[in-house]
Amino acid sequence: MLTNVRIAAAFLAAACAFASAGLAEVAAPFSEAKKFAEGDREMRAASARGALDAGLPALAQMIVEDSRKAGDARRPGSEMDLIYVDSMIAQGEFDKALREMAPILEMLPTPENRIRAALAHIGLGDADGAEEALAPLSAGGVPKSFEGWYRLALG
């Protein structure tokens, strides 16, 4: 019993010494990490894009939704918005993809965005909507990374 008291006294003396040296006020490791992660849109976008590229659209969707809940600023047509639309299309949620795509397409009617809208229309069985979305495009104006999707959307 006397040994336990000596050990406890030694620990108490060490704790007092650390407290007086200011070492007791050191933050726990990684306690600040959440603050950095919440403000790092690029890291979230890279994670969401990686999940989508790995064939995990539900995970990509979750990352985007968590980013939105954390208060990340939204600009229609941002990378996160496009990843979200792509994840909705990949999961067959074409109505939701079109709702998200409408303001993006108004602001940024790029070939890529037109093709996204056309794919969502096709998913809903709306060939006229797909044709309307693709009407301004020609094969020469489509980026190489979207050529396959463009041809698929054309039928």
Side-chain angles (χ1 to χ4, degrees):
M1 174 113 170
L2 188 57
T3 305
N4 290 340
V5 172
R6 286 185 188 159
I7 293 172
F11 279 123
L12 180 61
C16 290
F18 285 132
S20 65
L23 296 176
E25 296 175 20
V26 175
F30 307 112
S31 64
E32 299 292 316
K34 186 175 181 183
K35 291 178 187 175
F36 294 115
E38 287 176 355
D40 194 353
R41 285 187 294 267
E42 293 82 23
M43 184 174 69
R44 289 174 191 244
S47 297
R49 175 60 63 198
L52 192 59
D53 291 346
L56 302 168
L59 179 59
Q61 174 188 354
M62 186 180 73
I63 292 168
V64 174
E65 288 173 352
D66 285 349
S67 178
R68 289 175 176 179
K69 287 178 190 172
D72 282 352
R74 285 186 65 192
R75 303 178 328 271
S78 70
E79 183 178 7
M80 290 294 265
D81 283 348
L82 298 177
I83 292 168
Y84 193 68
V85 169
D86 291 348
S87 71
M88 294 296 100
I89 292 170
Q91 295 178 82
E93 295 184 35
F94 304 113
D95 280 331
K96 198 171 191 178
L98 277 177
R99 279 194 307 273
E100 290 284 326
M101 203 61 223
I104 296 170
L105 201 52
E106 283 181 28
M107 289 185 65
L108 299 166
T110 64
E112 297 93 330
N113 291 341
R114 290 186 169 283
I115 293 168
R116 284 180 174 99
L119 291 171
H121 281 290
I122 289 168
L124 293 171
D126 179 12
D128 293 337
E131 188 176 317
E132 183 181 326
L134 295 175
L137 300 182
S138 66
V142 175
K144 285 209 178 281
S145 61
F146 273 74
E147 281 180 358
W149 295 115
Y150 175 68
R151 295 187 193 291
L152 175 70
L154 284 176

